Amino acid sequence: MTVLVLALVAFLAAAAPVHAADKPVVKLSKSQAGTGGSITVTGSGWRPKALLMMLICGQSVPSRGVIGGTNSCANADGRAVTTDAKGKFSKELPVAEPPKPCPCVVHVATVTGEKAQADAIFMVAGHSVESLPPEEAGGRLSVLTDTRLDGAGGLLTWFGSPPARELVFTVGNTGTAAIKNPVFQVGTSHGVFAPQWEEQQWRGTIGPGKKARITLPVELSAGAHGDYTVSLKYAGKVLAEQPWGVGRPWGVTLFWILVGVVVPAALFRIGMAVVDRIRPRTSAGRRRFGFGTGSLGGRAGRSGPVGPGGRHRGLGLGLPELASRIPKLHAPAARSSSSAPAATPTTPALPWFTPDTDPGTTATGQLSAPHDNSPTAQPSRTGRTSRTREGNT
């Protein structure tokens, strides 16, 4: 029995340093340095492979933390460091004057993941020193339970609407005075970026030693997605942090895919319609102007103007009809015959004959058929008349 008790005591003694080592610790190579110099910051007890940020902050002490948040720190001269597999690190930090007077600290805090921080007292040589502002007398709030985000995204969120949740937590008043209508700051951060704070006032009164369940709205920008962190701050001190994984708005992606497919298809259809309207119609144009197709041989294959009913005009017409429809071809003949007597009839000439070489035209301008006034028919007409008269007598 005594052996078991001794073994248990030895186990607890061995476990105690382990718990002490789990708390983040920061050590400095120098406790004081001037601007332009540098110090080496070492740490242990941190989470393995954790990303940390090192800053020199004014108006701060380890017991009260960084008063005023990172606005009291030389953010431009800060350095980032990643712990090893054992949770240790060592990094050189340049010395710079913070925007607030000393007392100062070297503030080391995690950037992502579980919240952890540690401070080490440091003095910036030549920097002003002022006393810390007095602590506010009265009530003090502390978070008693873990925070959570209530709510879910809807159909509009799937199409890019701003994601919204409600931050729910329970706080207790550990001070000696009541707190009426406390004003909290709710911040949202994405990745390694600093939180964007927004003030949220809770309506109510929390008496000394009392607790209250508080619900505050939280909203991100439209189309936000990825891993976010919601932080809660009161009186310049961060009380809690809550991770928030926001899904991708796949409705927006689907919309752009449809736009990429539908718009080119619509433009193609419009372009084809425009081309179909403005291009010349060959067959319709030939029919509109009355030109047929085919060889010169045959009635149906002759080229020329097309008349009503599909009948070809031109070479398919008869020669007399063709001659009557070309009045300009015999216009010189009409002018040449203008000197003749007006009573002389004029016969239209064919296009391949002149009036002098027309086989059916005589010198008098008449056709070749026999006439009564021909020179050969005159005696016979006289004789026939004489014989008729003699017979009658």
Side-chain angles (χ1 to χ4, degrees), residues 256-333:
W256 286 115
I257 291 175
L258 293 178
V259 168
V261 173
V262 173
V263 171
L267 293 177
F268 176 77
R269 294 293 300 273
I270 294 174
M272 292 302 296
V274 172
V275 170
D276 186 66
R277 181 172 293 268
I278 66 176
R279 69 179 179 181
R281 299 180 179 272
T282 305
S283 58
R286 294 177 66 89
R287 288 194 299 268
R288 185 183 302 117
F289 291 101
F291 291 97
T293 58
S295 62
L296 294 176
R299 179 180 299 274
R302 296 170 182 171
S303 62
V306 181
R311 183 178 180 183
H312 289 266
R313 297 179 298 173
L315 296 180
L317 298 175
L319 295 181
E321 184 178 359
L322 178 61
S324 64
R325 296 195 179 189
I326 309 177
K328 291 185 179 182
L329 295 178
H330 56 79

Side-chain angles (χ1 to χ4, degrees), residues 22-26 43-47 50-55 57 60-67 69-70 73 89 105-120 233 236-241:
D22 288 341
K23 184 178 179 181
V25 177
V26 174
S44 60
W46 297 86
R47 190 173 67 253
L51 179 62
L52 309 178
M53 177 60 71
M54 303 186 302
L55 300 171
C57 304
S60 306
V61 291
S63 59
R64 295 182 58 179
V66 180
I67 301 175
T70 56
C73 304
F89 72 91
V105 298
V106 173
H107 179 71
V108 182
T110 56
V111 177
T112 58
E114 184 180 355
K115 183 71 173 178
Q117 62 183 13
D119 299 325
K233 183 189 291 187
K237 183 179 180 181
V238 178
L239 301 181
E241 290 183 341

Side-chain angles (χ1 to χ4, degrees), residues 301-389:
R302 296 170 182 171
S303 62
V306 181
R311 183 178 180 183
H312 289 266
R313 297 179 298 173
L315 296 180
L317 298 175
L319 295 181
E321 184 178 359
L322 178 61
S324 64
R325 296 195 179 189
I326 309 177
K328 291 185 179 182
L329 295 178
H330 56 79
R335 287 195 301 270
S336 62
S337 61
S338 59
S339 59
T344 304
T346 302
T347 302
L350 296 177
W352 49 84
F353 292 109
T354 61
D356 297 337
T357 60
D358 191 351
T361 306
T362 61
T364 59
Q366 295 182 353
L367 297 176
S368 60
H371 295 279
D372 293 341
N373 58 351
S374 63
T376 56
Q378 186 67 27
S380 62
R381 185 186 307 118
T382 306
R384 188 168 50 251
T385 304
S386 302
R387 285 193 299 269
T388 303
R389 289 179 179 177

